[in-house]
Amino acid sequence: MHNYIDEIISNFNNYHKDGFLIRSFDKDLNISDSEKVIEDYGDIIPYLYYFDGKDFSNQILNNILNSNYVKDGVYIKNGLIKIFYNHDWLMTFFEMYKLTGELKYLENLELGIKKLLERNISNGFLIDECNQSYRSTSLKSTLKTSSPYNLGLVEILSELGLILNKKEY
């Protein structure tokens, strides 16, 4: 029987750019979109780790954590901190903590959540997008915390609050 999981992991191992996973490659394994998929790591890295990609997953996470794409645990894309890009990014740490029990993942998750809320929440509203160096005065959008577009963040806050037994989340 064909082992699809091994083949998929092999492709991830072989097709990344500058130490980051890329958006897509075609059927002949030529890169078709070299944009990094950091905002989707929460959907990818834990599964690669689980299916015997431990070293590769740790390498990819270390690359991103030691890059200019992340500051204080928060993912920055094109100079902006967007909640939409960060909820899956931060979910990476929650899922990795569940898989490994390693506190470093929980610490990165909490650091990122605190910084994201510090920068992107105002009067009970989540600010979808703001400049990385200061709270933007020209906001692209303001969304209530119950907005379906950002329920990923609400999920992470709930999970983090349960794990840490902290009601403020």
Side-chain angles (χ1 to χ4, degrees):
M1 180 172 202
H2 189 79
N3 191 332
Y4 292 102
I5 292 172
D6 286 344
E7 186 176 355
I8 290 167
I9 289 174
S10 174
N11 286 337
F12 272 110
N13 283 327
N14 294 318
Y15 292 90
H16 58 282
K17 186 175 181 182
D18 304 324
F20 303 99
L21 297 177
I22 59 167
R23 178 119 1 246
S24 60
F25 41 89
D26 65 20
K27 64 179 177 56
D28 297 319
L29 302 179
N30 298 310
I31 295 172
S32 57
D33 184 348
S34 64
E35 183 168 340
K36 297 163 187 66
V37 293
I38 297 162
E39 67 269 17
D40 293 320
Y41 275 16
D43 295 327
I44 301 168
I45 297 296
Y47 295 98
L48 291 176
Y49 183 94
Y50 180 79
F51 288 109
D52 207 25
K54 291 176 177 64
D55 291 339
F56 179 68
S57 298
N58 285 324
Q59 175 193 350
I60 292 292
L61 281 176
N62 285 333
N63 289 345
I64 186 67
L65 288 170
N66 294 310
S67 76
N68 292 328
Y69 296 104
V70 173
K71 183 177 180 186
D72 297 324
V74 176
Y75 171 55
I76 301 163
K77 184 173 183 174
N78 300 323
L80 297 172
I81 298 170
K82 287 189 67 139
I83 290 174
F84 184 75
Y85 293 149
N86 271 280
H87 71 262
D88 270 345
W89 160 245
L90 292 170
M91 188 59 85
T92 306
F93 298 112
F94 175 69
E95 295 295 336
M96 292 297 288
Y97 173 74
K98 286 193 323 188
L99 282 171
T100 68
E102 293 181 43
L103 289 178
K104 68 180 181 181
Y105 296 117
L106 198 57
E107 291 164 356
N108 274 305
L109 172 59
E110 190 168 26
L111 173 66
I113 287 291
K114 283 181 178 179
K115 289 297 179 180
L116 190 63
L117 294 177
E118 183 180 292
R119 292 176 173 274
N120 291 67
I121 196 163
S122 178
N123 297 323
F125 287 88
L126 292 173
I127 300 166
D128 184 42
E129 178 179 288
C130 64
N131 185 285
Q132 69 176 335
S133 59
Y134 60 90
R135 187 176 304 241
S136 176
T137 54
S138 62
L139 303 175
K140 180 178 178 186
S141 62
T142 55
L143 303 169
K144 290 183 178 183
T145 53
S146 60
S147 167
Y149 296 109
N150 288 319
L151 281 178
L153 181 63
V154 174
E155 175 188 6
I156 294 170
L157 290 171
S158 300
E159 298 284 3
L160 186 60
L162 287 171
I163 289 173
L164 297 175
N165 198 25
K166 291 186 175 180
K167 293 181 181 182
E168 68 258 29
Y169 294 122

